[in-house]
Amino acid sequence: MSDMSSIPVPNWDRLSVFPITRRWPPKHPELLQLYSLPTPNGVKVSIMLEEIELPYEAHLVDFGKDDQKTPEFLSLNPNGKIPAILDPNGPRDRKPLALFESGAILQYLAEKTGKLLPQDAARRYQTLQWLHFQMGSVGPMFGQVGFFHKFAGKDYEDKRPRDRYVAEAKRLLGVMDTHLAGRQWFMDDDYTIADISMLGWVRNLIGFYGAGDLVEFAQFKAVGAWLERGLARPAVQRGLNIPARP
Ligand SMILES: N[C@@H](CCC(=O)N[C@@H](CS)C(=O)NCC(=O)O)C(=O)O
């Protein structure tokens, strides 16, 4: 009788122990699996994957079906939000790694591939500083502008919450504008995960949320020019529509 335990299990086969693969079965289990929807947080990861040209398989998490609150999705991200990934070739003994939180995913992918995060220690921390600025300030504040201006909150009679978030969004755009004046990207000539984290949010604020006039976007000339440069990148254009909406 042969001893089956000595036969190495291919890495991709190990994905089947992750319950998320029951709702979203991988067609290519040897590739990194992305669970997402093209929202400002979701596109950070699809843009990154397109930029670094790491092969992956994208799965649509349909908010219309509350996919993000299903037990299978929650098994990977207990916080019930996209994006999330499952990498069959993780960093420890190439065992699979499941990860949520877009900032952590961007850092992981940058370190895995050695791309879009400077090698120099000081510049690396400065890049992470801007990434955390996006995660802790830009995303949450712009998101609230969206809620109070475009979504359910727009019907609230009391406009003070909306005005508070608009004022904060303007302040943040001011911080970004001052930094970007005379620079191509957040890290000077280096396009990094800091830029990737912010492009979708600024685009959404003035596009989908329709808050351009409200935040007086026209005055933030350096941010406007940076956004244009970012959106001109083919990988950004592709990433903005992955996975395709239903
Ligand atoms: N801090 C999280 C935020 C993720 C997040 O808020 N995702 C939104 C879409 S942009 C979501 O999944 N919303 C669905 C829900 O809350 O039910 C990250 O950056 O990954």
Side-chain angles (χ1 to χ4, degrees):
M1 214 169 75
S2 67
D3 176 10
M4 298 292 282
S5 65
S6 63
I7 300 173
V9 180
N11 273 1
W12 50 263
D13 208 29
R14 296 184 185 140
L15 291 195
S16 56
V17 303
F18 290 83
I20 196 162
T21 61
R22 285 184 219 137
R23 191 174 178 93
W24 290 276
K27 285 199 190 81
H28 301 282
E30 72 285 7
L31 301 184
L32 186 142
Q33 306 290 304
L34 168 67
Y35 308 93
S36 193
L37 185 74
T39 68
N41 286 318
V43 298
K44 290 178 206 170
V45 181
S46 42
I47 290 173
M48 178 69 178
L49 287 163
E50 291 294 318
E51 292 280 10
I52 61 181
E53 297 180 321
L54 188 74
Y56 66 103
E57 181 175 353
H59 301 276
L60 179 83
V61 178
D62 189 347
F63 288 178
K65 295 185 185 151
D66 261 347
D67 271 348
Q68 75 280 22
K69 306 298 179 208
T70 57
E72 292 91 345
F73 188 84
L74 292 171
S75 72
L76 198 155
N77 182 0
N79 196 31
K81 289 180 189 286
I82 60 99
I85 61 165
L86 181 53
D87 184 354
N89 297 304
R92 191 192 304 136
D93 303 329
R94 302 191 74 217
K95 283 190 184 138
L97 175 73
L99 215 54
F100 62 91
E101 280 298 327
S102 57
I105 297 172
L106 287 181
Q107 185 175 349
Y108 170 63
L109 292 174
E111 289 176 351
K112 178 184 173 83
T113 58
K115 291 180 180 169
L116 303 184
L117 182 61
Q119 297 287 321
D120 171 76
R123 289 179 60 73
R124 180 173 176 277
Y125 287 119
Q126 285 163 346
T127 307
L128 296 176
Q129 153 199 284
W130 285 111
L131 175 67
H132 283 272
F133 167 82
Q134 184 284 308
M135 295 298 297
S137 297
V138 173
M141 294 301 120
F142 287 17
Q144 293 298 335
V145 173
F147 177 81
F148 285 103
H149 180 60
K150 161 117 187 170
F151 301 114
K154 75 174 184 312
D155 301 325
Y156 296 3
E157 239 168 73
D158 187 345
K159 296 297 172 204
R160 282 174 300 180
R162 184 202 66 179
D163 293 347
R164 172 178 154 77
Y165 292 117
V166 167
E168 185 59 5
K170 279 170 82 169
R171 192 189 67 75
L172 292 167
L173 284 167
V175 173
M176 295 159 75
D177 204 61
T178 303
H179 179 74
L180 284 170
R183 286 187 171 90
Q184 267 213 85
W185 308 110
F186 275 87
M187 291 305 295
D188 314 296
D189 289 338
D190 292 331
Y191 171 77
T192 67
I193 54 174
D195 300 289
I196 292 180
S197 73
M198 280 186 259
L199 285 169
W201 275 108
V202 178
R203 173 179 176 265
N204 230 49
L205 183 72
I206 62 174
F208 187 51
Y209 293 169
D213 287 344
L214 206 57
V215 299
E216 297 172 22
F217 188 71
Q219 68 176 285
F220 303 108
K221 300 252 182 296
V223 177
W226 162 86
L227 179 64
E228 226 172 274
R229 273 192 293 279
L231 294 180
R233 297 178 70 90
V236 172
Q237 281 304 317
R238 291 195 302 275
L240 285 171
N241 293 303
I242 297 175
R245 282 181 180 271

